[in-house]
Amino acid sequence: MSMQGGEPSMQGKTILVTGASGFIGSFIVEEALNRGMDVWAAVRKSSSRQWLGDPRIHFIELDLGNTDRLREQLSAHRFDYVVHAAGVTKTLHQEDFFRVNTEGTRHLAQAVAQTQPQLLRLVFLSSLSIFGAVREEVPHTDILPSDTPRPNTGYGRSKLQAEQALEAVDGLPWVMLRPTGVYGPREKDYFLMARSISRHTDFAVGFRRQDITFVYVKDVVQAVFLALWRDCVGKKYFLSDGEVYQSTAFSDLIISELGHPWCLRIKAPLWVLRVATAVGELTGRLTGSISALNNDKYHILKQRNWRCDISDARRELGFVPRYQLERGVKETIAWYRQQGWL
């Protein structure tokens, strides 16, 4: 690779991005194209290609549910890099977390190990959620890489088991990234908050102080491409913007960007959230429609400490967050408006 400003050129290198049609995956595809890479986007037949309109993109359908089939699909290609961003964050049935997030990662890792001996790096998008409430008893302290994960959601458990499945495959040059809450254009869960505020209601739960963290999608992408070439094989990194916020910070910035509409701010006790998420979970199963209010969401919103130590990412990856919350929210709300979402 040729070096420019200390960073190797990736022009002409071949990259496979799983989950390419998703929120984070689509941004990874865009950055790879900007770097002149040969980009392969792994998508399902049912996946929207709304954000994948560039004619330079090659598409490939991968069956992450079947190692043998996956091996066949991958053996016809040679990839320098793989970024595994595919996964589900909410499902109707808990077992689907493990089928998609855990077993999908296991099958991909095994197939890549068997068909891509020249692979330079596999970057896996994991999650801070694997640590769950590990620091709830020690408030206002950072979750550390040395802490023992204690996931309290189906999503977090499935991601932890996915990490373990990846580690179990010999010879893979993997790096794992563990972002906190990722927001930005195209993201739909945080958008629900913006839409609610635009309709004059801001809903929050819990009366104890809540320390929360965020990372803008473009900073996650920055970390992905640093992980592709830095000397960091076998390492795991937390990602956030390096700041800690209180629970109203995000909604305050949204209100500001929306021009300070009048807004009824409702703060409810946790038991109200428990009832709402239980109803949402039941309704989702009865209707077959996944609800944003589900049992996992209860544990996520209940948790009071989402701080994390990103010093390893800063030191070893050279990760420097470019988007603090104010800048990120401004760009995100502007995009929602441009797209007619708000």
Side-chain angles (χ1 to χ4, degrees):
M1 294 184 183
S2 62
M3 302 290 287
Q4 297 180 346
E7 181 172 343
S9 170
M10 294 180 182
Q11 186 167 358
K13 292 292 185 180
T14 304
I15 185 171
L16 170 67
V17 182
T18 72
S21 62
F23 164 46
I24 300 175
S26 62
F27 277 97
I28 295 170
V29 167
E30 285 184 5
E31 179 61 19
L33 291 170
N34 290 339
R35 291 170 179 254
M37 302 179 77
D38 185 21
V39 182
W40 287 78
V43 295
R44 299 187 305 272
K45 285 184 179 180
S46 60
S47 298
S48 168
R49 301 188 183 186
Q50 182 177 7
W51 316 119
L52 301 174
D54 194 299
R56 294 173 292 174
I57 300 172
H58 307 286
F59 291 97
I60 182 173
E61 291 181 14
L62 298 181
D63 184 357
L64 296 179
N66 185 311
T67 304
D68 293 336
R69 176 69 179 136
L70 194 52
R71 191 187 304 113
E72 289 179 19
Q73 293 167 326
L74 291 176
S75 61
H77 305 277
R78 289 291 176 267
F79 301 110
D80 298 302
Y81 306 105
V82 174
V83 179
H84 183 35
V88 293
T89 58
K90 49 184 178 287
T91 68
L92 284 175
H93 307 287
Q94 288 280 303
E95 57 267 25
D96 288 338
F97 281 128
F98 300 92
R99 179 180 58 81
V100 177
N101 295 345
T102 305
E103 293 307 310
T105 300
R106 187 192 315 279
H107 296 154
L108 180 68
Q110 291 171 344
V112 166
Q114 293 165 3
T115 64
Q116 308 295 319
Q118 77 298 325
L119 189 74
L120 298 174
R121 199 65 46 89
L122 186 155
V123 176
F124 174 51
L125 270 295
S126 184
S127 172
L128 180 63
S129 293
I130 72 167
F131 284 85
V134 67
R135 288 271 167 174
E136 288 295 273
E137 296 84 0
V138 192
H140 320 315
T141 61
D142 289 348
I143 298 170
L144 302 175
S146 57
D147 287 336
T148 300
R150 284 169 45 191
N152 55 3
T153 61
Y155 173 72
R157 287 188 289 273
S158 71
K159 281 292 192 178
L160 176 59
Q161 290 183 25
E163 288 194 6
Q164 294 165 344
L166 192 57
E167 289 177 285
V169 178
D170 292 334
L172 271 181
W174 55 258
V175 179
M176 300 186 197
L177 302 178
R178 297 161 162 174
T180 184
V182 186
Y183 71 102
R186 306 175 192 166
E187 198 281 329
K188 295 180 179 178
D189 285 348
Y190 287 114
F191 163 70
L192 295 177
M193 179 189 297
R195 187 178 66 179
S196 177
I197 290 172
S198 73
R199 296 174 178 178
H200 310 295
T201 303
D202 179 28
F203 184 80
V205 293
F207 297 103
R208 285 196 301 119
R209 168 177 160 176
Q210 185 181 41
D211 290 346
I212 51 180
T213 50
F214 299 95
V215 62
Y216 192 60
V217 62
K218 292 180 182 178
D219 278 334
V220 175
V221 174
Q222 175 205 159
V224 166
F225 283 85
L226 287 168
L228 290 181
W229 67 273
R230 289 279 187 168
D231 183 17
C232 56
V233 170
K235 300 292 185 67
K236 307 171 184 179
Y237 299 103
F238 293 137
L239 300 178
S240 79
D241 69 5
E243 302 294 331
V244 178
Y245 302 92
Q246 301 308 301
S247 56
T248 58
F250 201 84
S251 56
D252 285 345
L253 288 169
I254 292 173
I255 290 170
S256 176
E257 290 304 313
L258 291 177
H260 297 278
W262 69 266
C263 189
L264 177 63
R265 308 194 87 157
I266 302 170
K267 179 167 280 194
L270 283 170
W271 69 263
V272 173
L273 175 66
R274 175 74 278 185
V275 172
T277 54
V279 171
E281 183 95 6
L282 179 60
T283 302
R285 292 183 179 181
L286 292 174
T287 62
S289 176
I290 299 173
S291 170
L293 283 175
N294 51 55
N295 289 333
D296 266 17
K297 181 65 74 173
Y298 169 74
H299 292 289
I300 290 168
L301 294 177
K302 175 187 175 184
Q303 190 165 314
R304 299 288 99 181
N305 189 1
W306 287 98
R307 303 167 65 114
C308 60
D309 179 4
I310 66 168
S311 58
D312 285 352
R314 291 184 186 274
R315 182 178 63 255
E316 297 176 12
L317 285 183
F319 175 63
V320 180
R322 297 167 184 158
Y323 285 82
Q324 304 306 309
L325 195 59
E326 183 174 1
R327 181 187 179 192
V329 169
K330 180 182 290 292
E331 193 169 291
T332 301
I333 296 299
W335 185 90
Y336 288 154
R337 282 178 149 167
Q338 289 165 3
Q339 296 296 316
W341 288 25
L342 288 175

